[in-house]
């Protein structure tokens, strides 16, 4: 088999259909989804009781770089428009459960944590543009290393909405200095997947004290001459739920995304 | 004075600052705003009681072509983020008031119709990309003629959201056949202002029985060899409020937009 994701050795997971990947996650596989199902859109998940849905939706409208919404369920529905037949409570590798802003559980099956009136928001994920980076010759270090992408809470406050407030979370990819411009160009074509970077070069400017110790995901992989490049991240709602002490929320586990049936090309600008 | 809007003779209105235009509207001037305040973003307005705000916001998320939201007020606030100091109840040339889906008033001052808990949505307007069309050599017939753009209810159903459902409304500009491609290219750069056309060429395909009789705005101006080109329109929420029989809403009068302080270039893709 030829590699569906050039530059990686993960031929098997790259070639999977989204339906088959969701089946494996439903059966219990817990894994970061970078590199899975080449060509398909990956999404962050945040589900809240209906009484918080307006605040979340307004928050996403006011923070489109971190929270580009690609689907919203009706209250109580667990089947998204972007993957008919899927079950949002079981079809991700991992979930986190937040009560009063505290992380109280991490699980592979969120059914027992789901409430009847929950509204689920699916938010574009930067994993979706990683294949385009590879195809442009930009290495994706965590993908080659088989680790999760590193993610950090920053000192950048999001625009508040209703009861929601908190910091922007970013993902980081180390990019060779002479390919930073290409990385900006390629990812800017995917505004619904966070688009171009929010910052290039200086972790301290984002309030990141130690690049080696991310708040979510795995430690970064950097090569000599790499520049750290930061993209807004769909884990932001989790940091916001925590900062604002929202009574109840269920999210994906960072890096363990929902893989939809929508081709990544759907979101790409010319 | 040289013309700030090439191809028009409306030097005076094109050169106005948004603040000065809003002052004139506040003082009572009732006029379509195409061609006003060259270089600044124009917006559609729909305001609803708070209990309908979630349905409206979800509707806009599900219908981004017709309803690209650029600002949302907190309940009760009449000052938008996109024009600090402005008053959304007075600073548009004209308003429409809907009760149970019926148009019950048209006015230049909406203060007596405003309710304390209203949430106002500002939605990008295609007037914002008309200067870019002119600068690319594409004529804008209604602008040259000094008329309002023609708008039509179509047979295209929007994606419903909660209690909201109804048809997409489109604006029409007649474009010389050999410039249709340029019109598509230029307007596609402004996704937050409705982006590229939803249809080119056949009014009947959109369920428009008589192009000469628009549902909103003025009769179209067409020259020999022109092709009718249709863009999704921010009057859509008004058609939806009417179709769904929403108890109460205030909107702009079609074509009589809110002119914000945000430069049009803010929204343009490279």
């Amino acid at each position: 088999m030829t590699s569906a994701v050039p530059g990686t050795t993960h031929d098997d997971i790259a070639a999977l259909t989204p339906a088959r990947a969701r089946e494996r996650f439903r059966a219990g596989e817990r894994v970061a989804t970078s590199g899975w199902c080449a060509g398909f859109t990956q999404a962050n998940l945040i589900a809240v009781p209906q009484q918080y849905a307006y605040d979340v939706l307004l928050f996403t409208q006011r923070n489109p770089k971190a929270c580009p919404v690609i689907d919203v369920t009706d209250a109580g529905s667990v089947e998204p428009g972007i993957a008919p037949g899927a079950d949002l409570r079981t079809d991700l590798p991992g979930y986190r459960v937040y009560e009063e802003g505290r992380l109280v559980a991490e699980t592979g099956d969120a059914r027992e944590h789901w409430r009847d009136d929950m509204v689920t928001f699916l938010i574009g994920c930067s994993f979706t543009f990683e294949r385009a980076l590879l195809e442009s010759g930009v290495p994706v270090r965590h993908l080659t290393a088989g680790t999760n992408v590193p993610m950090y809470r920053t000192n950048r406050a999001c625009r508040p909405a209703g009861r929601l407030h908190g910091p922007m979370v970013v993902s980081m990819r180390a990019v060779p200095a002479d390919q930073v411009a290409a990385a900006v160009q390629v990812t800017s074509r995917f505004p619904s997947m966070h688009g171009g970077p929010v910052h290039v070069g200086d972790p301290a400017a984002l309030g990141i004290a130690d690049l080696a110790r991310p708040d979510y995901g795995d430690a970064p992989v950097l090569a000599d001459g790499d520049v750290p490049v930061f993209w807004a991240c769909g884990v932001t709602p989790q940091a916001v739920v925590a900062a604002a002490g929202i009574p109840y929320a269920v999210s994906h586990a960072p890096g363990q995304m929902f893989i939809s049936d929508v081709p990544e090309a759907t979101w790409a600008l010319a």
Side-chain angles (χ1 to χ4, degrees), chain A residues 64-252:
Chain A
K65 196 86 177 163
C67 302
V69 172
I70 60 173
D71 203 5
V72 183
T73 68
D74 289 325
S77 171
V78 294
E79 182 181 1
I82 59 176
D87 186 328
L88 291 170
R89 303 167 304 174
T90 56
D91 289 7
L92 284 73
Y95 299 85
R96 288 187 168 181
V97 182
Y98 293 88
E99 284 184 16
E100 309 295 344
R102 285 173 296 102
L103 176 63
V104 295
E106 180 147 351
T107 176
D109 181 344
R111 279 177 296 185
E112 69 176 287
H113 300 282
W114 219 263
R115 296 185 179 177
D116 286 344
D117 72 338
M118 287 187 102
V119 175
T120 306
F121 298 84
L122 295 163
I123 293 171
C125 172
S126 57
F127 288 170
T128 309
F129 60 52
E130 289 180 337
R131 195 169 72 127
L133 285 172
L134 293 170
E135 287 176 345
S136 299
V138 179
V140 179
R141 305 287 188 209
H142 66 269
L143 193 51
T144 310
T147 58
N148 195 357
V149 71
M151 293 160 272
Y152 307 84
R153 276 188 295 274
T154 70
N155 60 7
R156 301 252 185 118
C158 293
R159 284 185 65 195
R163 294 157 288 193
L164 297 185
H165 59 85
M168 179 190 289
V169 174
V170 294
S171 64
M172 192 286 287
R173 290 164 186 79
V175 177
D178 63 356
Q179 289 174 289
V180 169
V184 173
Q185 289 161 342
V186 168
T187 59
S188 294
R189 294 178 54 227
F190 293 87
S192 296
M193 301 296 134
H194 304 298
V198 291
H199 189 85
V200 176
D202 182 8
L206 293 174
I208 299 170
D210 184 354
L211 198 64
R213 299 165 59 93
D215 297 300
Y216 313 90
D218 292 328
V221 182
L222 288 100
D224 279 352
D226 278 359
V227 173
V229 180
F230 300 91
W231 281 266
C233 177
V235 171
T236 298
Q238 296 184 48
V240 163
V241 158
I246 298 305
Y248 198 72
V250 177
S251 74
H252 70 290

